[in-house]
Amino acid sequence: VQLVESGGGSVQSGGSLRLSCLVFGFTYSRKCMGWFRQAPGKEREGVAAIDSDGSTSYTDSVKGRFTISQDNAKNTLYLQMNSLKPEDAAMYYCAADRCSGGYYNHRPHYGGMDYWGKGTLVIISS
């Protein structure tokens, strides 16, 4: 399984970005996905998750600003980020899971996801 993120870059505070994650080789019957981020000197945190049935969950700090979605025909996960703030600056990672109990118990913060991408960097300028 391979996950490849794209769409990061530099944007002004208040701006928008859309991140993409292309998923290769995930052949399990159920797929749960998530976006995570890690800023310098901080722990990785879960940002958003989407279940196999399309249900979504978000960390409080991004609710109303970020939207997670997926296009299964394109094997692609998205994160639309609006009204970006300086504190949103981080390396963003996508991750995939076989929809384990741990995922459901801890989403969107489940750090034990099965597969991880290498990340895409988001920079926010004020």
Side-chain angles (χ1 to χ4, degrees), residues 60-111:
D60 287 346
S61 63
V62 307
K63 286 180 180 177
R65 300 189 298 122
F66 290 12
T67 302
I68 187 171
S69 62
Q70 61 186 348
D71 184 334
N72 289 322
K74 295 182 179 180
N75 293 322
T76 303
L77 178 74
Y78 302 100
L79 185 68
Q80 178 67 44
M81 305 187 295
N82 299 328
S83 303
L84 284 161
K85 303 176 181 180
E87 53 264 39
D88 294 320
M91 185 72 81
Y92 281 73
Y93 302 89
C94 73
D97 195 80
R98 289 168 283 179
C99 301
S100 62
Y103 168 84
Y104 282 107
N105 288 335
H106 300 287
R107 68 190 193 279
H109 304 291
Y110 181 51

Side-chain angles (χ1 to χ4, degrees), residues 15-76:
S16 297
L17 278 176
R18 187 176 80 157
L19 306 183
S20 300
C21 174
L22 189 56
V23 182
F24 297 95
F26 194 101
T27 59
Y28 300 102
S29 58
R30 297 172 68 205
K31 182 178 68 184
C32 293
M33 302 287 297
W35 285 99
F36 296 76
R37 66 186 180 188
Q38 187 168 22
K42 295 188 177 181
E43 292 188 355
R44 185 179 62 196
E45 66 168 339
V47 175
I50 186 164
D51 302 350
S52 59
D53 66 356
S55 299
T56 59
S57 54
Y58 299 89
T59 194
D60 287 346
S61 63
V62 307
K63 286 180 180 177
R65 300 189 298 122
F66 290 12
T67 302
I68 187 171
S69 62
Q70 61 186 348
D71 184 334
N72 289 322
K74 295 182 179 180
N75 293 322
T76 303

